[in-house]
Amino acid sequence: MDGNIEFTMGLSEGLAWPWPIAVYLFFAGISGGALATALFLRFYKKQTTNTPFYKAAALISFVTISLGMLCLVLDLTNPLFFWRILVYYNLNSVMSIGVIALSVYIPLVALICLFAFEEEIREIPALKVLVPVVEKLQGIRRPCEVTVLVLALAVCAYTGFLISALVRFPIINTSVLPALFIASGISAGAAAAKMVAVSMFKEDLHSQDMKILHGAEWPIMIAEMLFIFMIVTSLMTGNAGAQGAFEAFHTGEWAAVFWFGVVGIGFGGPLLLNFATGKTFSHSAKAFYLSGVCAVAGMMCLRMFILYAGQIFAV
């Protein structure tokens, strides 16, 4: 930024990026991942109706990005001056570029929500005033969806670019991080949206949309594993500082977070529920929700591990 805003000592002290930033990374990943998945599916199937998954993704995306921005504001040294972020820009700063993207992304996500819930808006008397607005904006719906898809992926990647700028932290300072955050965001965002689609919008567990999404889970998870493997390998074979940072994967409480939270719950949980359990249970609603919770929890553990272990195990 321009030096007037600091994201360091709001709710936490002693770390360049404290826990509110980890929570923001989580929410931003869920928001971008859920909406990107829904729009990919919409374009792939050439859908014109507001499907349960589309509604769920739009709702989750708006709620989570709003909560994520709240975390960022609360972590400012002077939260009441958050408006300065929207006024002062430095195009040489990754943070400023991200703020510009978010400034466009958030209103467009709100607009996508209006499109997604047009039928519900018509049925609620207090919201009928919005109907003419939605109808007038229908003509730009497609370009809005294309723009939001690009921005959703950018929001996922931006969080990786943002923290990878910390050059003195080998785990964090890696070009693989944006790609890892996109993959994990899509994985967790899709899982969260699927659960909401089934529980709130009565999506059939075995619908065509759900089958496509289920089939996409494994390639995305494999991509996540590959990106993590690349980070680990680069640390193992790097200089003394990088090898020292590699200790985070096998020493102390953060190693437990990685192996139990990321690998065990995030990767092993869905794998176990889908392949190692009985066929009847693995296709049940309980297994579906457990698998979704594992994916979301694993993604949160990954964000926490990258941010905290990355700063603690530094040169």
Side-chain angles (χ1 to χ4, degrees):
M1 303 297 285
D2 65 344
N4 294 323
I5 299 292
E6 296 181 12
F7 282 92
T8 53
M9 297 296 183
L11 297 178
S12 299
E13 297 185 359
L15 292 173
W17 300 101
W19 68 262
I21 304 302
V23 176
Y24 163 72
L25 296 178
F26 170 74
F27 282 135
I30 291 287
S31 176
L35 199 52
T37 304
L39 290 171
F40 273 130
L41 183 64
R42 185 174 180 83
F43 296 155
Y44 172 71
K45 294 192 67 180
K46 299 180 180 179
Q47 295 171 340
T48 56
T49 60
N50 295 318
T51 65
F53 184 77
Y54 184 82
K55 292 180 179 181
L59 179 61
I60 283 178
S61 183
F62 182 73
V63 170
T64 52
I65 198 61
S66 299
L67 292 173
M69 293 307 297
L70 178 62
C71 287
L72 285 185
V73 170
L74 291 177
D75 196 58
L76 288 171
T77 302
N78 298 303
L80 294 179
F81 292 100
F82 74 92
W83 55 269
R84 292 183 181 178
I85 304 175
L86 306 176
V87 177
Y88 298 105
Y89 294 114
N90 174 9
L91 296 181
N92 293 320
S93 165
V94 176
M95 186 177 290
S96 279
I97 294 172
V99 168
I100 294 171
L102 287 169
S103 297
V104 180
Y105 175 72
I106 295 173
L108 286 179
V109 171
L111 183 57
I112 292 296
C113 280
L114 289 179
F115 291 143
F117 292 98
E118 181 180 357
E119 295 87 349
E120 288 77 4
I121 290 172
R122 292 179 182 277
E123 295 173 0
I124 301 174
L127 297 179
K128 284 188 176 180
V129 66
L130 296 173
V131 173
V133 177
V134 177
E135 290 177 345
K136 288 183 179 180
L137 293 174
Q138 284 292 343
I140 62 170
R141 177 169 181 167
R142 181 72 174 195
C144 283
E145 289 178 337
V146 173
T147 303
V148 169
L149 172 58
V150 174
L151 289 173
L153 295 174
V155 165
C156 291
Y158 156 66
T159 58
F161 284 117
L162 179 63
I163 65 173
S164 66
L166 297 172
V167 296
R168 61 194 177 97
F169 302 130
I171 294 178
I172 293 175
N173 182 229
T174 170
S175 59
V176 178
L177 207 57
L180 173 59
F181 277 15
I182 289 176
S184 64
I186 289 175
S187 177
K194 285 194 299 181
M195 289 189 288
V196 172
V198 171
S199 60
M200 289 184 62
F201 301 110
K202 310 306 178 185
E203 175 69 286
D204 183 359
L205 271 176
H206 307 292
S207 69
Q208 189 63 33
D209 283 359
M210 298 297 278
K211 288 179 181 178
I212 292 174
L213 292 168
H214 181 70
E217 287 177 1
W218 305 111
I220 295 171
M221 191 175 292
I222 290 171
E224 285 184 76
M225 294 178 182
L226 177 61
F227 294 139
I228 292 174
F229 175 75
M230 291 169 67
I231 292 174
V232 172
T233 302
S234 67
L235 293 175
M236 289 177 61
T237 59
N239 57 29
Q243 292 180 23
F246 174 67
E247 292 182 12
F249 291 89
H250 61 81
T251 302
E253 61 183 10
W254 287 107
V257 170
F258 176 77
W259 289 105
F260 179 74
V262 179
V263 177
I265 295 177
F267 295 143
L271 187 67
L272 180 68
L273 289 166
N274 282 276
F275 294 110
T277 59
K279 186 174 181 180
T280 301
F281 178 74
S282 64
H283 286 81
S284 69
K286 288 182 179 179
F288 167 76
Y289 285 113
L290 282 173
S291 180
V293 169
C294 285
V296 173
M299 185 259 217
M300 183 61 199
C301 289
L302 176 63
R303 296 299 200 267
M304 294 292 289
F305 173 81
I306 291 290
L307 198 66
Y308 269 83
Q311 293 179 90
I312 293 170
F313 290 81
V315 180

